[in-house]
Amino acid sequence: MRRVPAATLFSADPSTDNLHRFETSWLLPPTLLAALRGLISLYIFTTIIVIWAWYGTHDDRVDIGETFSYFTWLTYWGLGFYFLFSAIHTACYAWTGRSVLFDRWPRFFRVLHTLFYATVTTFPFLVTIVFWVILFTPPFYKQTFPRWSNISQHGLNSFYALLEIILPATAPHPFIAIPVLILILLLYLCVAYITYHTEGFYTYGFLDTEGGKKSGIVTGYCFGILAAILVIFLVSWSLIWLRKRLTGSKIKRAARDPLRAQGEFVDAPVDMQERANEPKYPDVSV
């Protein structure tokens, strides 16, 4: 039975390195893509700082520490760091025509980035759906601050995820990312109940079993969220596949990219000379 390298399973095969999928777009040149990602990251971290400052100046300083127990906040931090690092990767590529950091780091980091990309294009949609369908209670926020903060964290988060589905030249998610997403949700469930036993509050009311009386209902919610993330993953995968189909796998390359001469928009294969010059990585097989 032929063994498949782990990097291939996680869509990090060395033969696709020259495509620079995470640092390029079919629509925007690398410099604009880096700038857009950097601005989104700046807005996300600014939002976090402003909300914390609001808590600190309105006698809610305890709420600052409690934010780390909420899935909404954890995914929002994840979005911020994803756009920060993706902006850095894209800016380096725009300047040099190479994947500067990825080429220096172990291949395992490409695998992690692939999984990171899968989370930021799935979890934000889950947060938005759960908040507006289950947690939100009408009427809509009349005060400016809660209206802005909730739109930023429970609305714009999905908009950012959608941009990352539409704009980059990324490939569809590897299906092996599904168990990783499920594991993250299970680990968060542990965080939620650890928070209850240590801090005395439920991060989300639908997790309250009320001493075992609502165990069945809570279990139903958990399986509902599991089904939701599977559907969201498939929708995200399909949208990326459709984008690649419609754009013909076009890539706008950096000016210093060696393959730019073959055509700025060409999804060019690696030639034999480039394969010979590629850095050699250990074959970690499964």
Side-chain angles (χ1 to χ4, degrees):
M1 181 177 179
R2 181 177 177 272
R3 295 189 300 172
V4 179
T8 301
L9 289 175
F10 287 93
S11 298
D13 193 292
S15 65
T16 63
D17 288 355
N18 74 313
L19 300 180
H20 303 289
R21 286 182 172 139
F22 289 111
E23 301 115 314
T24 57
S25 168
W26 62 273
L27 179 64
L28 301 177
T31 49
L32 288 183
L33 181 62
L36 176 62
R37 285 170 161 173
L39 285 174
I40 292 175
S41 176
L42 178 62
Y43 179 81
I44 290 174
F45 287 122
T46 300
T47 300
I48 292 172
I49 293 172
V50 171
I51 293 176
W52 281 2
W54 177 273
Y55 289 162
T57 56
H58 288 75
D59 296 326
D60 293 324
R61 285 186 290 273
V62 174
D63 291 347
I64 296 176
E66 292 178 351
T67 59
F68 291 102
S69 293
Y70 288 88
F71 192 72
T72 294
W73 278 89
L74 295 176
T75 57
Y76 205 60
W77 276 101
L79 274 172
F81 279 110
Y82 170 81
F83 279 104
L84 173 62
F85 281 101
S86 62
I88 293 173
H89 286 305
T90 308
C92 290
Y93 168 74
W95 178 255
T96 66
R98 299 183 297 106
S99 299
V100 179
L101 299 179
F102 280 139
D103 289 345
R104 294 180 179 178
W105 293 343
R107 180 148 296 272
F108 180 64
F109 282 88
R110 290 182 185 262
V111 171
L112 290 179
H113 195 78
T114 299
L115 296 175
F116 201 4
Y117 177 72
T119 65
V120 300
T121 52
T122 53
F123 284 154
F125 298 115
L126 179 65
V127 168
T128 298
I129 292 171
V130 170
F131 179 79
W132 295 108
V133 174
I134 299 177
L135 302 177
F136 173 71
T137 303
F140 192 68
Y141 303 96
K142 295 182 179 180
Q143 296 181 336
T144 301
F145 180 78
R147 180 168 62 242
W148 165 78
S149 62
N150 278 284
I151 290 176
S152 295
Q153 292 185 296
H154 304 108
L156 290 180
N157 62 331
S158 290
F159 175 68
Y160 302 147
L162 189 61
L163 287 180
E164 277 298 304
I165 289 174
I166 295 174
L167 290 181
T170 49
H173 310 308
F175 282 96
I176 201 171
I178 292 177
V180 176
L181 298 178
I182 295 174
L183 176 61
I184 292 174
L185 289 175
L186 288 174
L187 290 175
Y188 174 72
L189 193 61
C190 295
V191 170
Y193 283 107
I194 289 173
T195 297
Y196 170 71
H197 286 288
T198 58
E199 303 295 329
F201 71 94
Y202 283 101
T203 51
Y204 300 102
F206 59 81
L207 295 177
D208 186 359
T209 62
E210 294 188 8
K213 297 178 181 178
K214 292 187 176 180
S215 297
I217 296 176
V218 172
T219 302
Y221 272 115
C222 291
F223 276 101
I225 290 175
L226 172 62
I229 198 60
L230 293 177
V231 171
I232 292 170
F233 177 90
L234 292 176
V235 171
S236 177
W237 187 98
S238 300
L239 289 175
I240 296 172
W241 179 89
L242 180 62
R243 180 251 296 159
K244 287 184 63 65
R245 178 91 176 189
L246 294 176
T247 60
S249 299
K250 295 177 181 178
I251 294 177
K252 282 200 170 185
R253 296 182 177 275
R256 297 186 179 183
D257 190 326
L259 294 180
R260 175 72 177 268
Q262 298 185 23
E264 182 178 351
F265 306 100
V266 176
D267 185 357
V270 182
D271 61 32
M272 295 303 294
Q273 182 61 38
E274 287 177 318
R275 286 183 184 274
N277 294 333
E278 281 184 347
K280 299 299 186 294
Y281 301 94
D283 181 18
V284 180
S285 302
V286 294

